[in-house]
Amino acid sequence: MLKNQLLIAALLMGTAASTFAQEKMKPEDTEVWEPVPHVVATPLHQAPSDAIVLFDGKDLSAWESQRNPGKPAEWTVAGGTFTVNKKAGNIITKQKFSSYQLHLEYYIPADIEGEGQGRGNSGLFVAAIGTGDEGYELQILDSYENKTYVNGQLGSVYKQRIPLANPARKPGEWQTYDVIWTAPTFKQDGSLESPARVTSIINGVLVQNNVELTGGTKYIGKPEYKAHGPSPIMLQAHGDPSQPISFKNIWVRPL
Amino acid sequence: MLKNQLLIAALLMGTAASTFAQEKMKPEDTEVWEPVPHVVATPLHQAPSDAIVLFDGKDLSAWESQRNPGKPAEWTVAGGTFTVNKKAGNIITKQKFSSYQLHLEYYIPADIEGEGQGRGNSGLFVAAIGTGDEGYELQILDSYENKTYVNGQLGSVYKQRIPLANPARKPGEWQTYDVIWTAPTFKQDGSLESPARVTSIINGVLVQNNVELTGGTKYIGKPEYKAHGPSPIMLQAHGDPSQPISFKNIWVRPL
Amino acid sequence: MLKNQLLIAALLMGTAASTFAQEKMKPEDTEVWEPVPHVVATPLHQAPSDAIVLFDGKDLSAWESQRNPGKPAEWTVAGGTFTVNKKAGNIITKQKFSSYQLHLEYYIPADIEGEGQGRGNSGLFVAAIGTGDEGYELQILDSYENKTYVNGQLGSVYKQRIPLANPARKPGEWQTYDVIWTAPTFKQDGSLESPARVTSIINGVLVQNNVELTGGTKYIGKPEYKAHGPSPIMLQAHGDPSQPISFKNIWVRPL
Amino acid sequence: MLKNQLLIAALLMGTAASTFAQEKMKPEDTEVWEPVPHVVATPLHQAPSDAIVLFDGKDLSAWESQRNPGKPAEWTVAGGTFTVNKKAGNIITKQKFSSYQLHLEYYIPADIEGEGQGRGNSGLFVAAIGTGDEGYELQILDSYENKTYVNGQLGSVYKQRIPLANPARKPGEWQTYDVIWTAPTFKQDGSLESPARVTSIINGVLVQNNVELTGGTKYIGKPEYKAHGPSPIMLQAHGDPSQPISFKNIWVRPL
C-alpha cells in the first residue's frame, strides 16, 4: 500500500492495533536504566544528606540582616533554637535559591497575646525579592482559635490563597512547615514565562496543593509579578517583641 | 466623558492606571473571610483528626482480600504492625477514594535477600482499578545499594516516572511514604478529561513533584488510561514470603 | 605533747578541729583523677554503644528455647518486633548475666481480651535459674483498667513487691521497661551473702526503688533463695496465643 | 505422735518440712490486694500525670532567684526552653521537696568554649540547703572529649562519687538527666539518721546506682551533713554567659 493508505488502515484498526503492538513488547522494553537518581541519606530527625542546613541549632551564619545587607542576623540563639528579635528586622539567607524543598519548625509561645493578625505573626518568604516585605509570603500565624481573614491565616499564601485546612497546634508546641517551591520564570523582557507554584504541608496536613501563584504578595492591592532571579529566603520579624516566635531545624534542598 | 471614552482612556493608560488603582485600594480590600478552612487537630505521632485511619496497629478491618472480594485481608498483624502474607495475595481498602493525601510507613527486614526487583518488592497502588496488579503503582522496593531499572526503583511511578532522588534507608529501619494523589477524571464517553498527578515524599525527601501520569501502570507496554471512578487503595503481595515487608501507621485524607 | 596527748587533744577539739582542717585544704585536695569512666555513645533512639543488644529488629539469634536448650527461640519476628509464640514456650538469652541495666519495650494488642492475670500476661525474669518459671520475675501484664492482686500487677516483683504506681498504657501502645538489677551473691556453702535488689521504671515512672528481694519468685509459697551464678534473662510465654504480646528494642549493659 | 513430738520431728526435718509447708499453701495465699497503687497516665513525650511540672516551655513561674528570695528567676525563656543568665545567679524551685524522681533535659551549645570545669558547667542541686552552692550537687558539664577530675565530670556527685560511665553527647544535642533522690533524714539533735542516696541516668545510661552520700557537696574539703528538712531544687548559674546552657522539660514526682 501507499504510505497514505497505510496510515488510514492503522487509524481504522484503532485500539486493537495498539493493544497488539503492546502484547508483542517485552517487559524489558519499558525499563529505563538512567539517569540514576542520586542517593540521599535520611537519618531520623536529621536533615537529608543533600540538604543545605540553614539552621542546625548552632548559629545564624547562614543568614544576614535584610535591612543591613552583609551584617549579622541578630536574632537570639539559645537551646538549639532561635527567636525573632523585632528590633533587628527581617532576616534573609545569604544564599539565593530558585526551586526547592524546604523544612522548618516554628514555635509560638504558650503565653502569646493579641488577636487576629496581631497574634503570633511571622512569615516565610519563599523568595524575598525586594528590601521590605516583598516576595511570596507563606503565612505563619497563631491560627489556633484565632479568627482572621482566611487568606491571611496560617498556611495561606498571604492574601492570595486560602489554605485547605487549619492544622494549627496550640501555642507552646513545636509545629512543622514543609514546602515545595517552584520558582516562577521570566522572559528576557521581564514578562512572566511560567508562574510560581507551591505545595505546603503544616504539621503533616496538606494546606496548599501545587497552587499557582498570581504574583508577589502585596499587603495592599492584587498580587503582581516582577521579574527576578534566584532569591534569598526570608523570615519576617513581625511579631510583638514580648511574644517572640522561635524556629529550629531549617533545611532546604534545591530542586 | 462618556462611558466608552472612559473605557478607552483606561485601556490607553495601561499599567500606570492599574498601579494607580491599587494605590487607592485599602488593605481590607484584599481580605477574604470565607469559606473558613476546617480545623484539623495534629497530635504528635498520630494521624490528623480528619484522616481515615487505614491501620492503627489493631487490625486490618479497613482492608479486604483483592482476589476474594469481601473476604478478610489475611496478612499478619503483630506488635502494632502488619506483614505481607504472600499466599493471601494483594489487599485493598474496603473504602474507595478519589484524590487524597496519604501517609504510610513500611519496613524491609534487615535480613532481606535477593537483588534487583527481587529484593523487598511491594507496591502502593494509589488506585487499584482491576483484579490484578492494575492501577497506578508507586514502587516500594529495597533500593538501598540495590541496582535495578530506575523507573522501577523505590519512589518511581512504576515504569513511568523516575524518582528525583534515592532516599532508601538500610533494611531494618522503618521508612515513611507520603503521597498527594490527584485522581484522573474521565468524560462520559470514557476518554480522559484530566490526567492523574502525584507528589510523593519518602523519608522526608521529595521524589515525585506533582508529575502528570500518562496512564495506568503496565508491566508490559506503555501506560494507558482506562476510565474508572473512585477506587480502593492496594498494597501488593509481591515479596518473597521468607522476607516479608511490614507496614504501620496508614492514614488517608480525601481532598 | 606526747603522741597520746596529741590524740586526746584532737578528740576533744572535735568538730572545730575538723572544720579547721578543712579550711586549710585546697580545692585540688578533693579532686580524683582516676579511674576514668569509660565513654558510652548514646545516639537517639538507639542502644548505648556499650550495650549488648538482645533484639534490634532483625532476629532472635541472642535467644534460645528454654525447654529445648540450644534450640532456636521460635517466637515470631516481623516489622522490627517479635511476638510471643505460646507453643514454643519461654525463651532465654544464650548469654548469662549477673548485675546489669536493661531496657525493653513491649506491646499489648489493642484487642486484648480476658481479665486479671488472664489479660496480657508475660514476665521478665531478670535471672532464670531453673527449667520452668523459676527465677526473679518482674511482672508484665495489661494493668490498664484491669484489677488483680497488687503484688501481681504490672511492675510488681511477682508475689513479692507491690509497685509504687500503675503507669500502664492502654493496650495498642508501646510501653517501656527499664531495669537496674543487682544480682544476689551466695557463699561457698550456698547460703545467701547479699540479697538481690531491683530498681524498675515503666513508661518513665519509677515502680521499684532499689527494693531488696527476699528470694526467687514462687507461684505458691514464699520467695526463697537458691544459690546460683550468672543466669540467662527470660521472657515468659504466658499469654493467650490469640492475644500475643510483642517486644522490641531490648538491650542490656552488664554492671 | 503427740503434738510435741510432731513439732520436734518437723524441726528436725528442716528444709524438707518447710517445703512441705509451702506445698500445702495455695496460690491465693500469697496474693496481696491492697493498697492499690495509684494510676499514672504516661503520654508519650510528656510528663507523667502525677508529676509536678517545673518547666513545660511556658515560663519560670515554678522558680525564683536564689540570691533574692521571692524574686523572679530571671533566666531567658524562648522556644520552649530556658537558658542560664549568669547575672541572675542560681535559681531554685519555690516548692520544697524531700525524696523524689526527677527528669530534666539540658543542652550545651555547639560552639561551647573552654576546657575542664570551664566548659559547659552547671549543676543540679537535688537539695539546695544554703544560700550559695550548698546542698547535694549532681554535676552537669560538657564531658564530651573534655578532661577534668573524674569526681567532677558529668554525672558525678560533685567531689564525692565518680560516675559509672561517661555518656556525654556532643555539644549541640539535647541530653536527658533522670534522678531518683532519697533525701537524708536527721534526728531531733541534728545528727544523721539515714544518709542520702541517689540513682541517676544520663542519656539512658546508669551513672549512679543508688549510691550513699557522705554529706553535702563541698568545693573545699570533705562532704559533711548538716541537718535540713524539705529543700528546693536548684540549677546553678556557673557557665560562661557567652556559652549558656539551656534546659527544658523538667518535672518531679515526690516519692
Side-chain angles (χ1 to χ4, degrees):
Chain A
M1 288 184 280
L2 299 175
K3 193 179 171 186
N4 273 6
Q5 287 174 307
L6 269 169
L7 184 63
I8 289 159
L11 287 169
L12 289 171
M13 287 162 72
T15 316
S18 154
T19 302
F20 179 70
Q22 293 221 0
E23 275 169 5
K24 296 193 63 168
M25 289 179 75
K26 295 186 300 295
E28 303 84 83
D29 293 343
T30 47
E31 294 175 2
V32 176
W33 286 82
E34 50 188 19
V36 177
H38 68 290
V39 170
V40 184
T42 57
L44 274 179
H45 311 291
Q46 291 178 41
S49 60
D50 65 347
I52 295 164
V53 174
L54 296 177
F55 182 70
D56 68 351
K58 183 174 171 179
D59 59 45
L60 288 167
S61 57
W63 301 77
E64 63 182 27
S65 167
Q66 184 196 35
R67 77 160 73 116
N68 297 311
K71 300 285 174 169
E74 296 188 319
W75 291 17
T76 312
V77 178
T81 75
F82 68 91
T83 301
V84 173
N85 172 7
K86 194 181 178 182
K87 291 179 196 163
N90 301 334
I91 64 173
I92 58 174
T93 56
K94 292 177 181 171
Q95 197 169 336
K96 295 178 177 180
F97 302 93
S98 295
S99 299
Y100 57 77
Q101 177 187 8
L102 174 144
H103 173 86
L104 70 74
E105 298 172 30
Y106 71 96
Y107 179 96
I108 294 171
D111 58 353
I112 191 76
E113 292 176 1
E115 57 180 36
Q117 294 288 313
R119 183 175 173 86
N121 192 331
S122 182
L124 167 65
F125 284 73
V126 285
I129 57 174
T131 55
D133 288 348
E134 289 176 73
Y136 311 87
E137 182 184 13
L138 306 192
Q139 178 68 306
I140 296 175
L141 186 79
D142 176 19
S143 284
Y144 183 83
E145 298 180 356
N146 176 37
K147 192 175 181 182
T148 189
Y149 41 97
V150 296
N151 61 350
Q153 74 179 51
L154 173 68
S156 62
V157 180
Y158 187 67
K159 287 198 167 174
Q160 187 166 165
R161 291 286 183 181
I162 302 170
L164 295 171
N166 179 357
R169 289 197 181 127
K170 202 173 169 178
E173 295 183 51
W174 282 93
Q175 314 199 46
T176 59
Y177 217 126
D178 289 279
V179 175
I180 302 164
W181 168 243
T182 303
T185 57
F186 298 90
K187 295 177 189 159
Q188 286 285 55
D189 68 359
S191 65
L192 186 68
E193 187 173 57
S194 63
R197 306 187 77 89
V198 71
T199 294
S200 56
I201 297 172
I202 295 179
N203 298 330
V205 172
L206 184 70
V207 291
Q208 301 288 349
N209 187 4
N210 196 47
V211 294
E212 185 177 317
L213 270 55
T214 56
T217 298
K218 285 198 177 287
Y219 179 57
I220 296 173
K222 294 194 176 170
E224 276 184 321
Y225 275 112
K226 251 188 341 195
H228 63 88
S231 305
I233 295 165
M234 183 168 84
L235 292 173
Q236 191 184 35
H238 189 295
D240 184 311
S242 68
Q243 303 170 345
I245 294 180
S246 300
F247 296 89
K248 69 176 177 184
N249 198 11
I250 310 181
W251 50 259
V252 60
R253 298 178 59 247
L255 295 176
Chain B
M1 288 185 280
L2 299 177
K3 192 178 170 187
N4 275 6
Q5 286 175 308
L6 268 170
L7 184 62
I8 290 161
L11 286 170
L12 289 170
M13 285 161 73
T15 316
S18 154
T19 302
F20 180 69
Q22 293 221 2
E23 276 167 5
K24 296 195 64 167
M25 289 177 76
K26 296 187 299 293
E28 303 84 85
D29 293 343
T30 47
E31 294 175 2
V32 176
W33 286 81
E34 51 190 20
V36 177
H38 69 291
V39 170
V40 183
T42 57
L44 273 179
H45 310 292
Q46 291 178 41
S49 61
D50 65 347
I52 295 165
V53 175
L54 296 178
F55 182 71
D56 68 351
K58 185 174 170 179
D59 58 46
L60 288 168
S61 56
W63 301 77
E64 63 183 26
S65 167
Q66 185 196 34
R67 75 161 74 117
N68 296 313
K71 300 285 175 171
E74 296 188 319
W75 290 16
T76 313
V77 177
T81 75
F82 68 91
T83 301
V84 173
N85 173 7
K86 194 180 177 182
K87 292 178 197 165
N90 301 334
I91 64 173
I92 58 174
T93 57
K94 292 176 181 172
Q95 197 168 337
K96 295 177 178 182
F97 302 93
S98 294
S99 299
Y100 57 77
Q101 176 187 8
L102 174 145
H103 172 85
L104 70 73
E105 298 171 32
Y106 72 96
Y107 178 95
I108 294 172
D111 57 353
I112 190 76
E113 292 175 0
E115 57 179 35
Q117 295 288 313
R119 183 176 174 86
N121 193 331
S122 182
L124 167 65
F125 284 73
V126 286
I129 56 175
T131 54
D133 289 347
E134 289 177 73
Y136 311 88
E137 182 184 14
L138 306 191
Q139 178 67 308
I140 295 175
L141 186 79
D142 176 19
S143 285
Y144 183 83
E145 299 180 357
N146 177 36
K147 192 174 181 181
T148 189
Y149 41 97
V150 296
N151 61 350
Q153 74 178 53
L154 173 68
S156 62
V157 181
Y158 187 69
K159 287 200 167 174
Q160 186 166 166
R161 290 287 183 182
I162 302 170
L164 295 170
N166 179 357
R169 288 197 181 127
K170 202 173 169 177
E173 296 183 51
W174 282 93
Q175 315 200 43
T176 59
Y177 217 126
D178 288 279
V179 175
I180 303 164
W181 168 244
T182 303
T185 57
F186 299 89
K187 295 177 191 160
Q188 286 284 54
D189 68 357
S191 65
L192 186 68
E193 187 174 57
S194 63
R197 307 188 76 89
V198 71
T199 294
S200 56
I201 297 172
I202 295 179
N203 298 331
V205 171
L206 183 70
V207 291
Q208 300 289 350
N209 187 3
N210 197 48
V211 294
E212 186 178 315
L213 270 55
T214 56
T217 298
K218 284 200 176 288
Y219 179 58
I220 297 172
K222 294 195 176 170
E224 276 183 322
Y225 275 112
K226 246 182 352 188
H228 62 88
S231 305
I233 295 165
M234 183 169 84
L235 292 173
Q236 191 184 34
H238 189 294
D240 183 313
S242 67
Q243 304 169 345
I245 294 180
S246 299
F247 296 89
K248 69 175 178 184
N249 197 12
I250 310 182
W251 51 258
V252 61
R253 299 178 59 246
L255 295 176
Chain C
M1 288 186 280
L2 299 175
K3 193 177 169 190
N4 275 4
Q5 286 174 311
L6 270 170
L7 183 63
I8 290 161
L11 286 170
L12 290 170
M13 287 162 73
T15 316
S18 152
T19 302
F20 180 69
Q22 294 219 2
E23 274 167 5
K24 296 195 65 167
M25 289 177 77
K26 297 187 297 294
E28 303 85 83
D29 294 343
T30 47
E31 294 175 1
V32 176
W33 287 81
E34 48 189 23
V36 177
H38 69 289
V39 169
V40 183
T42 57
L44 274 179
H45 309 293
Q46 292 178 41
S49 61
D50 65 347
I52 296 164
V53 175
L54 296 177
F55 182 70
D56 69 351
K58 184 174 171 179
D59 58 47
L60 288 169
S61 56
W63 301 78
E64 63 183 26
S65 167
Q66 185 197 33
R67 76 161 73 119
N68 296 312
K71 300 285 174 170
E74 296 186 320
W75 291 16
T76 313
V77 178
T81 75
F82 68 91
T83 300
V84 174
N85 173 6
K86 193 182 177 181
K87 291 178 197 164
N90 301 333
I91 63 173
I92 57 174
T93 56
K94 292 177 181 170
Q95 197 168 338
K96 295 178 177 180
F97 302 93
S98 295
S99 299
Y100 57 77
Q101 177 187 8
L102 174 145
H103 173 86
L104 70 73
E105 298 172 31
Y106 71 96
Y107 179 95
I108 295 171
D111 57 353
I112 190 77
E113 292 175 358
E115 56 179 37
Q117 294 289 314
R119 183 174 173 86
N121 193 330
S122 182
L124 167 65
F125 284 73
V126 286
I129 56 174
T131 54
D133 287 349
E134 288 176 73
Y136 311 88
E137 182 184 12
L138 306 191
Q139 178 67 307
I140 296 175
L141 185 79
D142 175 18
S143 284
Y144 183 84
E145 298 179 358
N146 177 36
K147 193 175 178 180
T148 189
Y149 41 98
V150 295
N151 61 349
Q153 74 179 51
L154 173 68
S156 62
V157 180
Y158 186 68
K159 287 201 167 172
Q160 186 167 166
R161 291 285 183 183
I162 303 170
L164 296 170
N166 180 357
R169 289 197 180 125
K170 203 174 170 179
E173 296 182 50
W174 281 94
Q175 315 200 42
T176 59
Y177 217 125
D178 288 280
V179 175
I180 303 164
W181 168 243
T182 303
T185 57
F186 298 89
K187 294 177 192 160
Q188 286 285 55
D189 67 358
S191 64
L192 186 68
E193 186 172 57
S194 62
R197 306 188 76 89
V198 71
T199 294
S200 57
I201 297 172
I202 295 179
N203 297 331
V205 171
L206 183 70
V207 291
Q208 300 290 349
N209 186 3
N210 196 48
V211 294
E212 186 177 314
L213 270 55
T214 56
T217 298
K218 286 198 175 288
Y219 179 56
I220 297 173
K222 294 192 175 170
E224 275 183 322
Y225 275 112
K226 248 186 343 194
H228 63 88
S231 305
I233 295 166
M234 183 169 84
L235 292 172
Q236 191 184 35
H238 190 294
D240 183 314
S242 67
Q243 305 168 346
I245 295 179
S246 300
F247 296 89
K248 70 176 177 184
N249 197 12
I250 309 182
W251 51 258
V252 60
R253 298 178 60 246
L255 294 177
Chain D
M1 288 186 280
L2 299 175
K3 193 178 170 188
N4 274 6
Q5 285 173 309
L6 269 170
L7 183 62
I8 289 160
L11 287 168
L12 290 170
M13 286 162 72
T15 315
S18 153
T19 303
F20 180 71
Q22 293 221 2
E23 274 169 6
K24 296 194 63 168
M25 290 178 76
K26 297 186 298 293
E28 303 84 85
D29 294 342
T30 47
E31 294 176 1
V32 176
W33 286 82
E34 48 189 20
V36 177
H38 68 290
V39 169
V40 183
T42 57
L44 273 180
H45 310 292
Q46 291 179 40
S49 61
D50 66 347
I52 296 164
V53 175
L54 297 178
F55 183 70
D56 69 351
K58 185 174 171 179
D59 58 47
L60 288 168
S61 57
W63 301 77
E64 63 183 26
S65 167
Q66 184 197 34
R67 76 161 72 118
N68 297 312
K71 300 284 174 168
E74 295 188 320
W75 291 15
T76 312
V77 178
T81 76
F82 68 91
T83 301
V84 173
N85 173 6
K86 193 182 177 181
K87 291 179 197 164
N90 301 334
I91 64 173
I92 58 175
T93 57
K94 292 177 181 170
Q95 197 168 337
K96 295 178 178 180
F97 302 93
S98 296
S99 298
Y100 57 76
Q101 177 188 8
L102 175 144
H103 174 85
L104 70 73
E105 298 172 31
Y106 71 96
Y107 179 94
I108 295 171
D111 56 354
I112 190 75
E113 292 175 359
E115 57 180 36
Q117 294 289 314
R119 183 175 174 86
N121 193 330
S122 182
L124 167 65
F125 284 73
V126 285
I129 56 174
T131 54
D133 287 349
E134 288 176 73
Y136 310 88
E137 182 184 13
L138 305 191
Q139 178 68 307
I140 296 174
L141 185 79
D142 175 18
S143 284
Y144 183 83
E145 298 180 357
N146 176 37
K147 192 175 180 182
T148 189
Y149 40 98
V150 294
N151 60 350
Q153 74 179 51
L154 173 68
S156 62
V157 181
Y158 187 68
K159 287 200 167 174
Q160 186 166 168
R161 290 287 182 182
I162 303 170
L164 295 171
N166 179 357
R169 289 197 180 125
K170 202 174 170 178
E173 296 182 50
W174 281 93
Q175 315 200 41
T176 58
Y177 217 126
D178 288 280
V179 175
I180 302 164
W181 168 242
T182 303
T185 56
F186 298 89
K187 295 177 190 159
Q188 286 285 53
D189 67 359
S191 64
L192 185 68
E193 187 173 56
S194 63
R197 305 188 77 90
V198 71
T199 294
S200 56
I201 296 172
I202 295 179
N203 298 331
V205 171
L206 183 70
V207 291
Q208 300 289 349
N209 186 3
N210 196 48
V211 294
E212 185 178 314
L213 270 55
T214 56
T217 298
K218 286 198 175 288
Y219 179 56
I220 297 174
K222 295 193 174 169
E224 277 183 321
Y225 274 112
K226 251 186 342 193
H228 64 87
S231 305
I233 295 166
M234 183 169 84
L235 292 173
Q236 191 184 34
H238 189 294
D240 183 312
S242 67
Q243 303 169 344
I245 295 179
S246 300
F247 296 89
K248 69 176 176 184
N249 197 12
I250 309 182
W251 51 258
V252 60
R253 298 177 59 246
L255 294 177

